[in-house]
Amino acid sequence: MNQQTITASQMVGDLVTRERTVDTTKLNNYVEAGKLVYGGAPTTSYGIDILSVKFSSTGQPTQLWRETRNMTPDSVALSKAAGLGAVGEGVVVVTVQYTYKPTFASIFTGAMVMREQSFLRGRRSPVVERI
């Protein structure tokens, strides 16, 4: 399940960074695509935080837009982007969170919260805008 969480964060990031601009319809599709990575497993605990960052004239990361579903926004994602680009460039940070409850082992371990993060650059433009 952790590998699927890694895959979901990378795949959603890849889909977003293929675009110059995204809208709500595209983001809805990408969030759903991330859920499909889990196959037949329940996705009620699947959460995603997509953050588009642009580096300001001083090189500081600034939030352009954010889409968060079924989780708390990652409060340190923006600061983690520091140093990943030059002035005017950008990066997309995708955090996926999934709570897994093993069928048998949950008696001993309880639920396991998996959280994975991916950082990707735009393929067709330095920054992915939202319209």
Side-chain angles (χ1 to χ4, degrees):
M1 294 311 285
N2 194 59
Q3 184 61 45
Q4 289 168 312
T5 304
I6 293 167
T7 301
S9 72
Q10 292 173 348
M11 185 190 66
V12 171
D14 179 56
L15 291 170
V16 171
T17 57
R18 290 179 184 202
E19 307 288 345
R20 292 176 197 254
T21 61
V22 293
D23 59 16
T24 302
T25 300
K26 285 181 181 178
L27 288 172
N28 287 340
N29 290 337
Y30 301 156
V31 169
E32 288 303 311
K35 287 181 181 180
L36 293 175
V37 168
Y38 293 95
T43 56
T44 54
S45 69
Y46 168 85
I48 190 163
D49 182 36
I50 307 167
L51 172 65
S52 183
V53 175
K54 182 176 184 177
F55 297 99
S56 70
S57 60
T58 61
Q60 294 301 309
T62 58
Q63 177 178 319
L64 284 181
W65 57 267
R66 176 175 239 149
E67 183 70 28
T68 306
R69 311 251 180 106
N70 202 31
M71 67 179 282
T72 303
D74 186 341
S75 61
V76 295
L78 189 61
S79 63
K80 285 182 177 181
L84 295 180
V87 172
E89 293 181 348
V91 67
V92 172
V93 183
V94 179
T95 306
V96 172
Q97 182 173 299
Y98 184 82
T99 303
Y100 176 58
K101 296 178 184 173
T103 305
F104 299 108
S106 64
I107 297 168
F108 305 107
T109 64
M112 293 182 266
V113 178
M114 298 170 196
R115 190 177 180 106
E116 296 295 339
Q117 198 166 52
S118 296
F119 296 79
L120 298 97
R121 292 180 161 285
R123 292 182 179 192
R124 297 175 55 200
S125 65
V127 176
V128 179
E129 300 278 350
R130 183 165 184 180
I131 54 174

